[in-house]
Amino acid sequence: MTTHVILCYGDSNTWGFDPRTKKRYAPQTRWTGILQERLGSGYRIVEEGLNSRTTVLEDPLLTGRNGREYLIPCLASQAPIDLVILMLGTNDFKRRFGMSAKDVSLGIASLMSVIGQSGSGGAGGSPPVLLLSPPTIGPLSEYAEFFEGAESRSKLLGGHCRRVADEFGCAYLDLAEFVSASEIDGVHLDPSAHITLAQAVAAEVSRILPAV
């Protein structure tokens, strides 16, 4: 039986950061794990989440968080890939980067170009992409200083991401229409949001990659 390989590339909400304990959710609680369970054995989910990962930015305080730099070898190491699910942009809104929603979408577009040129799909082609615009940031509590001004800016990202998806002709979901960040910190997802996210993504994946 053919197994579809799906690379989930994102930040702490793909890694599975628990805003209550500050640790990692169990595999069966993370949206990627739920997605694997829902799709079944005809699909293999590759989890590639990293806390504080940006789209294309070098973080002066944390090394190895530039999403573009790691994406290139990641695509090669996981090839052949049948689908890339891309969800980044939240960390670009940190105050120290000074990025607008338009700026963040340009970073996402750069990642789309990397995927398109990677040759990491079947027969050396490019894998299709399901682009996820991350949930809106806020209301903020402990991360208020880190993400100062991000609540209003992040509300504009969905529209910009939709234009990126149209430009690259890829599937798209605006997660702000499905889930909200946890009331605990305004950035990370509660378990219930992981379930809802996985349900929305599973429906879209089944459309893009029907089970064989």
Side-chain angles (χ1 to χ4, degrees), residues 25-102:
Y25 286 125
Q28 65 271 21
T29 304
R30 303 195 289 265
W31 72 266
T32 46
I34 301 168
L35 179 63
Q36 177 69 78
E37 181 181 5
R38 286 184 170 272
L39 292 175
S41 60
Y43 301 80
R44 181 168 67 85
I45 302 301
V46 179
E47 295 180 305
E48 239 331 317
L50 177 65
N51 295 332
S52 296
R53 178 177 278 155
T54 68
T55 58
V56 299
L57 303 172
E58 294 291 345
D59 193 315
L61 304 179
L62 298 167
T63 59
R65 267 41 179 203
N66 184 324
R68 181 169 55 194
E69 293 302 311
Y70 186 72
L71 179 58
I72 296 170
C74 179
L75 290 167
S77 69
Q78 298 298 335
I81 300 167
D82 296 296
L83 177 67
V84 177
I85 300 177
L86 178 64
M87 182 172 69
L88 281 172
T90 297
N91 291 299
D92 293 42
F93 284 112
K94 288 178 179 176
R95 184 179 66 174
R96 59 178 171 262
F97 296 127
M99 299 279 278
S100 68
K102 176 64 174 179

Side-chain angles (χ1 to χ4, degrees), residues 73-146:
C74 179
L75 290 167
S77 69
Q78 298 298 335
I81 300 167
D82 296 296
L83 177 67
V84 177
I85 300 177
L86 178 64
M87 182 172 69
L88 281 172
T90 297
N91 291 299
D92 293 42
F93 284 112
K94 288 178 179 176
R95 184 179 66 174
R96 59 178 171 262
F97 296 127
M99 299 279 278
S100 68
K102 176 64 174 179
D103 293 332
V104 177
S105 74
L106 293 176
I108 293 169
S110 178
L111 299 181
M112 294 291 297
S113 294
V114 168
I115 297 168
Q117 297 168 16
S118 68
S120 60
S126 300
V129 179
L130 170 55
L131 177 60
L132 307 180
S133 179
T136 301
I137 297 171
L140 291 164
S141 54
E142 62 188 285
Y143 296 113
E145 187 172 0
F146 284 116

